[in-house]
Amino acid sequence: PSVAKNDPTQPVCYERGNGANNVWKSWVKGNIGEPNAVHWELIKGRGLRIGSHGDPAMFPFSIWQPLLDKCSYHTGYTSMWREEYAQEYRGFLQASCTSLVEQQEAVEKGWTGTYTTYAKDVNLDDMPGVECPNNKDKSIKCSSCRLCDGKHHIKNHDHGLPYKVRTETVCK
């Protein structure tokens, strides 16, 4: 769904889709084949950010499972955590939440990992979960932290492009 860019109560997606669209066009043209032994060997033992372009829950979990079996760790998020088809991702992806109410709803639905962002005026010490380690140490990146694996509740302030950052809480 399209969201007005100045509505601080609504979640926004950082993804523009250009990269994913180009991959799709190549797939449709037949320029991308099925993975083979060489590809699997390249993936083996490496980390995987599931869905770095788009929401991974848009695909059946069976698509991701072979990749997860080969990787040493993964991180990933879904904004579709309320949808029935996304429930198979509980324990593997973070439910992407934008308020305490959403975070609590996700936990009630059985999500064991959440990534919840709050407006800049919210004291993160008052919110449940572990604060994103990058807030206190910028040298810690997702690839070294690895907490966003569907098993931890992580909290953070809105970050990224300035027009997507809520400066004050409109609703909890």
Side-chain angles (χ1 to χ4, degrees):
S2 179
V3 175
K5 71 178 186 179
N6 292 324
D7 184 350
T9 66
Q10 296 298 312
V12 290
C13 182
Y14 62 88
E15 178 56 47
R16 301 179 100 187
N18 298 340
N21 192 38
N22 289 335
V23 171
W24 173 251
K25 286 178 182 178
S26 290
W27 175 267
V28 169
K29 288 179 183 176
N31 295 334
I32 299 175
E34 293 293 323
N36 61 40
V38 173
H39 298 117
W40 291 119
E41 198 56 38
L42 290 171
I43 295 168
K44 186 177 178 182
R46 299 188 70 174
L48 176 66
R49 167 131 186 231
I50 303 172
S52 51
H53 291 288
D55 197 305
M58 299 309 296
F59 295 94
F61 186 72
S62 61
I63 298 291
W64 294 108
Q65 189 65 59
L67 295 167
L68 293 170
D69 290 344
K70 299 283 185 199
C71 293
S72 62
Y73 72 90
H74 73 277
T75 59
Y77 315 84
T78 181
S79 296
M80 308 308 290
W81 56 267
R82 286 186 176 101
E83 303 299 329
E84 187 60 38
Y85 61 80
Q87 301 313 301
E88 63 184 335
Y89 284 95
R90 290 181 291 192
F92 292 94
L93 296 178
Q94 302 293 101
S96 185
C97 304
T98 57
S99 70
L100 178 58
V101 170
E102 281 190 0
Q103 193 269 349
Q104 290 170 336
E105 182 184 345
V107 169
E108 287 171 10
K109 285 180 115 359
W111 287 84
T112 54
T114 56
Y115 186 87
T116 308
T117 56
Y118 298 95
K120 294 286 186 186
D121 69 335
V122 172
N123 182 351
L124 291 179
D125 292 336
D126 297 337
M127 299 296 118
V130 175
E131 185 172 347
C132 176
N134 180 261
N135 287 351
K136 293 189 171 46
D137 182 349
K138 296 300 180 196
S139 70
I140 299 174
K141 305 297 181 200
C142 297
S143 59
S144 60
C145 170
R146 305 177 186 179
L147 287 177
C148 290
D149 62 355
K151 296 172 179 58
H152 303 90
H153 299 292
I154 308 300
K155 57 188 172 183
N156 205 348
H157 283 120
D158 288 340
H159 55 283
L161 298 174
Y163 73 87
K164 295 183 178 183
V165 175
R166 298 168 292 173
T167 55
E168 61 183 280
T169 305
V170 177
C171 61
K172 295 277 184 204

